[in-house]
């Protein structure tokens, strides 16, 4: 059975594994680590990194001070937002992930190591369709680099 999970803490980490429901995970001072195949994943921390393995369609990952490492494993369209103010983002995509990807950084580099159809490429902004295209997926950092690579499983 699917289980929806809503967790908030102010001074601690959040670790969730094998979730199949909707996840809302918020911490103010600590990292978030999550594995979910539910329809929606929302994870936010103010001071910590985020590590996520996600097999659903709707993702929002936000941190203010920390990096983000996310694996998107859904075999179809995925959309949402992955953002940090101070940290790098590494995004690993499953073979059949489909999205209209927009990556931007103010102080860093962007590297796309996955097959894509780029529509706009500058040193700080990349817009590209991944797979069959699909929903918008924004990946943003102010101070850090962005790397998009294939998932290794």
């Amino acid at each position: 059975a699917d289980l929806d999970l809503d967790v908030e803490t102010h001074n601690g980490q959040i670790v969730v594994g094998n979730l199949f429901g909707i996840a809302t995970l918020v911490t103010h001072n600590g990292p978030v680590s999550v594995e979910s195949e539910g329809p929606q994943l929302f994870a936010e921390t103010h001071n910590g990194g985020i590590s996520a393995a996600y097999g659903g369609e709707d993702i929002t990952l936000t941190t203010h001070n920390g990096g983000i490492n996310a694996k998107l494993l859904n075999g179809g369209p995925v959309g949402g937002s992955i953002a940090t103010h101070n940290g790098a983002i590494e995004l690993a995509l499953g073979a059949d992930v489909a999205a209209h990807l927009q990556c931007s950084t103010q102080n860093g580099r962007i590297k796309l190591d996955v097959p894509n159809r780029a529509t706009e490429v500058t040193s700080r902004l990349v817009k590209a369709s991944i797979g069959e295209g699909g929903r918008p997926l924004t990946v943003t950092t102010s101070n850090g680099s962005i790397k998009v690579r294939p998932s290794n499983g």
Side-chain angles (χ1 to χ4, degrees):
D2 293 350
L3 172 71
D4 293 346
L5 185 63
D6 188 346
V7 175
E8 182 172 358
T9 181
H10 289 276
N11 293 303
Q13 69 177 351
I14 298 174
V15 178
V16 176
N18 298 320
L19 184 66
F20 291 92
I22 295 171
T24 303
L25 312 170
V26 178
T27 180
H28 297 276
N29 293 303
V32 176
S33 177
V34 58
E35 294 177 9
S36 173
E37 293 188 32
Q40 185 176 26
L41 172 60
F42 177 91
E44 178 180 15
T45 180
H46 294 275
N47 295 303
I50 297 176
S51 176
Y54 184 57
E57 297 179 4
D58 188 3
I59 188 167
T60 302
L61 304 177
T62 306
T63 180
H64 298 278
N65 294 302
I68 298 176
N69 187 323
K71 276 187 175 183
L72 303 184
L73 306 172
N74 182 20
V78 63
S81 171
I82 298 172
T84 180
H85 295 285
N86 296 303
I89 298 173
E90 183 165 332
L91 181 59
L93 302 180
D96 296 323
V97 166
H100 289 295
L101 189 65
Q102 178 172 314
C103 300
S104 63
T105 181
Q106 297 300 312
N107 299 300
R109 298 185 184 273
I110 300 170
K111 185 173 184 181
L112 260 62
D113 285 338
V114 294
N116 68 83
R117 292 177 310 285
T119 58
E120 184 175 344
V121 178
T122 69
S123 62
R124 303 286 183 247
L125 174 69
V126 173
K127 293 181 181 180
S129 291
I130 305 297
E132 297 296 317
R135 298 180 46 216
L137 177 62
T138 60
V139 180
T140 307
T141 180
S142 297
N143 297 301
S145 293
I146 298 171
K147 180 177 182 181
V148 182
R149 63 172 181 81
S151 172
N152 295 331

